[in-house]
Amino acid sequence: MSSPTAWLVTGATGQLGTDLQTLLAGRDVTALGRRDLDLTDEAQVRGVVGAWRDDALARGARPVVLNAAAYTAVDAAEDDEATAELVNGAAPGWLAQELAGRGRLVHVSTDYVFDGDATRPYRTDDEPGPRTAYGRTKLAGERAVASVDDDAVVVRTAWVYAAHGRNFVRTMLRLESERDQVSVVTDQTGSPTWSADLARGLVEVAQSPARGLLHATGTGSTTWHGLARTVFAGAGADPARVLPVPTSAYPTPAPRPAYSVLDTAGWTAAGLTPLPAWEHSLRDCLTALGALRA
Ligand SMILES: NC(=O)c1ccc[n+]([C@@H]2O[C@H](COP(=O)([O-])OP(=O)(O)OC[C@H]3O[C@@H](n4cnc5c(N)ncnc54)[C@H](OP(=O)(O)O)[C@@H]3O)[C@@H](O)[C@H]2O)c1
């Protein structure tokens, strides 16, 4: 019989961390937010994770860390790359080192490691080319994990939203109730990913033999404009109230990738369950929010 798993979720108050906690409720899970585990503090990371790991091993459990913590403020990272580098770049390596040979790390990365210029979905073996501080630091984190010879897997995802927290879907629902019209960019393409689906995928991959780099997003793709229209339609509002605008209408400190679609062939080849079609999961999320009207 295989050993039971002891789970540790970092970034427990974030979108993904919250959904991981919900999914793992009732199991042997330790969920730590920034207050209990600050990923800028190497001594704290090694001390807290090391003690948790030793306790899990002493109980005969297999330690598995799901790293849902990240410096995700893409624009703020441009002026604060040193902090982003600690959280996104260095800390994943510390976690991998604490688990090497003694447990498993599932680390989450991003489409921002790519340049966004592609015209077909990015494969795991495509050359990264980050254009932002966030992307550079997340790529450093991937490399820090990969440099430790251990039982780790890095899962890149994109366009994450949840029924809680700050995200595009909830913003669109709010704007739908506040404004007659909203303008949304139509020249950025990606795959909306419901955090609850991603959480299920991460727990599945954690329990699989998969190692290395994988891509996992909602199935299919759209533009932010297309996503906003679908949110409006699902909420029973007229999607024509969402006006298309180019990215150039919304200058941001960090440039947004024009194309973010990730090729998930490796995920399915590893025998993992594909994440559902994005439209399907969006409806499930709207249902969870009590916002589905059509
Ligand atoms: N959101 C997206 O569209 C997206 C797209 C691609 C990839 N990803 C990746 O998916 C993962 C989950 O993202 P998410 O959407 O759940 O992000 P999120 O909602 O912003 O959650 C990130 C969590 O990390 C925590 N955190 C920040 N700095 C920390 C520190 N120094 N120590 C410990 N925790 C810290 C945050 O805590 P506070 O709440 O206290 O700040 C927050 O709870 C991340 O690896 C992210 O890079 C996200």
Side-chain angles (χ1 to χ4, degrees), residues 76-191:
E78 293 297 311
D79 289 329
D80 191 15
E81 190 161 351
T83 309
E85 173 59 30
L86 279 174
V87 181
N88 296 342
W94 307 332
L95 292 172
Q97 285 164 13
E98 291 303 320
L99 292 164
R102 292 173 286 186
R104 184 154 162 81
L105 171 65
V106 178
H107 174 63
V108 184
S109 193
T110 171
D111 54 303
Y112 274 69
V113 299
F114 292 117
D115 58 17
D117 290 340
T119 51
R120 52 116 179 113
Y122 283 104
R123 298 193 289 249
T124 49
D125 59 358
D126 281 330
E127 195 57 41
R131 295 211 169 134
T132 60
Y134 172 70
R136 283 190 294 276
T137 60
K138 291 294 288 186
L139 180 60
E142 292 185 359
R143 290 181 170 162
V145 171
S147 72
V148 178
D149 180 25
D150 69 348
D151 188 13
V153 60
V154 174
V155 179
R156 290 189 188 130
T157 191
W159 287 32
V160 178
Y161 66 90
H164 42 81
R166 280 169 52 115
N167 60 68
F168 182 85
V169 169
R170 295 190 68 210
T171 300
M172 287 303 122
L173 287 172
R174 177 174 53 78
L175 294 179
E176 189 282 319
S177 66
E178 290 175 2
R179 297 189 193 168
D180 291 338
Q181 295 183 320
V182 294
S183 298
V184 180
V185 297
T186 193
D187 51 0
Q188 293 173 29
T189 299
S191 302

Side-chain angles (χ1 to χ4, degrees), residues 245-282:
V245 290
T247 298
S248 54
Y250 283 109
T252 48
R256 301 305 193 255
Y259 187 84
S260 277
V261 183
L262 302 179
D263 184 331
T264 57
W267 182 267
T268 32
L272 300 162
T273 311
L275 274 54
W278 72 263
E279 299 96 325
H280 181 97
S281 292
L282 178 62

Side-chain angles (χ1 to χ4, degrees), residues 46-59:
R46 292 192 187 278
V48 169
V49 174
W52 164 83
R53 174 205 63 214
D54 290 346
D55 179 63
L57 290 170
R59 291 185 283 110

